[in-house]
Amino acid sequence: MFATLLLPALIAVQPQAGTTLAPDAEARWVPFEMSDGNQIRFTIQVNGKPARAILDSGVTDSFVTTQFADRIGLKARSHEQATAIGGSVEIGWARGGTITFGGLTRTGGRIGISGADGLFPFGADMFVGADILSCCALDIDYDARRFRLLPSGRMPFTGTTVPLSRASTGLFRSELTVAGQRIRPVVVDTGDGSGLTIGDASWAAIGFKRAQVTSTLGWGMGGATVAETAVASAVQLGTLTVPETEIRLERPGGFLTVSSSAGRIGSGLLLRFRVLLDPGAGRMVLQPGKLIDAPVVRSTSGLLMHQDATQLRVIHVMRNSPAAQAGWRDGETICEVDGVAVADMTRLGPAINWGAGAPGTTVRLGLCDGSRRTLTLRRFY
């Protein structure tokens, strides 16, 4: 339920970086896992040190956390404010050093250092942005949980071709159609965990009814943001149609305004395909994956929760939901679900899955303060 979108920040003078691909880069698949925030997380080497990285084409410049920078001795030489989801953040700039993953090696250039550690557990030390990814064609096989970097111009699989360009900010941009409305340009952002985010004009053109709309929570380096959200049908990318996807509204003044974009495609939509991003060749190639026709996973409780080892903490109560009508509040904590301790549930998998259970189900909840409540699930958007 979280979007992890970050910067773009520009600086007048940038040190030059050199990027090379190994001759056997095509064979060097990089395995990845999907993070709790729905991002591609993998292992990378920075100055010879291993790091956990997020593949984030929605970031203009790659950066590391301050904690990781301290660990490997990276020092900022200058600072500036950068635009982020949720507000602005201070970014320090250091010499880039050597970055390697798959068949790619980048030396020199610059790397950002973010002082926004701890805002949300992304579980990463680094975000790899468009400054590095634009060198090549990026082949993401979501079904197999692997990606690779290829020379621009390669076509490793057949699929539907959609235009892809690189904006003046460095971000990747394309287009799509929702409910008959053409939306462009849209940023293609592998680091955004949601499906599709659009601005006011496109939202109004689609014409969602009030009963179809609820609220959700997004999180970026600038902090948390509450956004209206709905589920739209007939989302088209070229000649391909996705039966339905989640759409969020971003108000003026946010990332879309700063990046002069009408929308943003996130991994919640991209993971329905095998995806080739090749801005150098001017194309995005899409091949339907196993999830192409999967329905959107909807909350039926209205509770957005953060899970730790022993409890579930409510971080947002969705508008018009069963939880909202029952008077739930942000910050409340749950320690037991249907008689089972959250601590025991977490050993088997995500303890928050019940929140999207079958409509009509009544769930018995034990709060960590000792009180007890019931919540009957229903579809509300």
Side-chain angles (χ1 to χ4, degrees):
M1 302 296 290
F2 293 89
T4 61
L5 205 42
L6 316 175
L7 327 173
L10 300 177
I11 195 166
V13 179
Q14 302 183 24
Q16 293 299 307
T19 302
T20 59
L21 279 181
D24 63 344
E26 190 161 347
R28 297 195 189 187
W29 287 98
V30 179
F32 68 82
E33 62 181 357
M34 298 302 291
S35 72
D36 291 343
N38 215 24
Q39 301 96 10
I40 293 172
R41 187 167 57 202
F42 64 101
T43 300
I44 195 171
Q45 297 283 324
V46 182
N47 291 347
K49 304 293 185 181
R52 297 166 300 167
I54 299 288
L55 197 72
D56 195 345
S57 61
V59 178
T60 56
D61 291 87
S62 302
F63 71 95
V64 298
T65 65
T66 54
Q67 293 171 339
F68 182 72
D70 291 342
R71 199 155 74 237
I72 67 172
L74 277 181
K75 301 296 183 183
R77 294 170 171 263
S78 63
H79 295 81
E80 68 174 339
Q81 290 297 118
T83 303
I85 292 281
S88 65
V89 296
E90 184 176 279
I91 297 292
W93 297 109
R95 294 188 183 277
T98 301
I99 296 168
T100 59
F101 60 101
L104 179 143
T105 300
R106 191 189 84 158
T107 56
R110 66 174 184 168
I111 189 167
I113 301 174
S114 168
D117 296 343
L119 291 178
F120 179 75
F122 295 106
D125 305 303
M126 180 178 183
F127 288 75
V128 178
D131 58 326
I132 293 177
L133 300 176
S134 60
C135 71
C136 315
L138 173 62
D139 179 5
I140 308 174
D141 188 345
Y142 281 98
D143 287 350
R145 295 292 191 264
R146 62 182 189 173
F147 73 87
R148 59 182 172 174
L149 292 152
L150 311 170
S152 179
R154 285 280 291 117
M155 283 281 285
F157 61 89
T158 59
T160 297
T161 298
V162 182
L164 184 73
S165 61
R166 197 171 183 217
S168 59
T169 58
L171 299 175
F172 300 171
R173 301 207 297 188
S174 188
E175 60 186 49
L176 47 62
T177 301
V178 181
Q181 300 295 321
R182 192 178 186 185
I183 302 174
R184 66 175 184 178
V186 292
V187 174
V188 180
D189 183 5
T190 59
D192 183 352
S194 62
L196 176 64
T197 302
I198 58 177
D200 273 339
S202 297
W203 184 273
I206 294 170
F208 291 113
K209 297 178 181 178
R210 182 168 178 77
Q212 298 173 301
V213 179
T214 183
S215 62
T216 192
L217 187 67
W219 209 293
M221 285 291 117
T225 58
V226 176
E228 290 185 296
T229 188
V231 176
S233 58
V235 177
Q236 293 180 297
L237 288 148
T239 58
L240 291 172
T241 300
V242 176
E244 61 178 29
T245 197
E246 180 195 60
I247 297 187
R248 299 182 182 190
L249 170 64
E250 182 178 289
R251 295 298 184 184
F255 176 89
L256 297 181
T257 301
V258 173
S259 63
S260 301
S261 304
R264 184 171 67 245
I265 299 173
S267 62
L269 180 54
L270 294 173
L271 60 74
R272 295 173 178 268
F273 306 93
R274 181 174 175 180
V275 180
L276 181 74
L277 301 178
D278 191 351
R283 65 190 174 210
M284 174 168 63
V285 183
L286 302 168
Q287 184 183 82
K290 292 186 295 186
L291 297 178
I292 185 65
D293 293 324
V296 169
V297 177
R298 290 173 166 86
S299 172
T300 49
S301 65
L303 292 176
L304 302 186
M305 298 167 284
H306 173 64
Q307 174 183 326
D308 63 24
T310 61
Q311 67 179 18
L312 303 173
R313 178 170 55 87
V314 177
I315 54 177
H316 181 68
V317 180
M318 301 173 74
R319 191 174 67 237
N320 302 324
S321 68
Q325 293 182 350
W328 283 77
R329 296 289 183 267
D330 295 356
E332 294 185 292
T333 54
I334 300 167
C335 282
E336 186 180 285
V337 180
D338 282 335
V340 180
V342 170
D344 294 332
M345 297 175 69
T346 56
R347 300 189 187 103
L348 302 175
I352 59 177
N353 288 347
W354 64 268
T361 302
T362 297
V363 185
R364 295 175 292 113
L365 300 167
L367 277 68
C368 299
D369 64 4
S371 63
R372 295 189 175 276
R373 301 181 195 172
T374 60
L375 186 63
T376 300
L377 310 180
R378 65 174 171 84
R379 184 163 169 165
F380 60 95
Y381 69 105

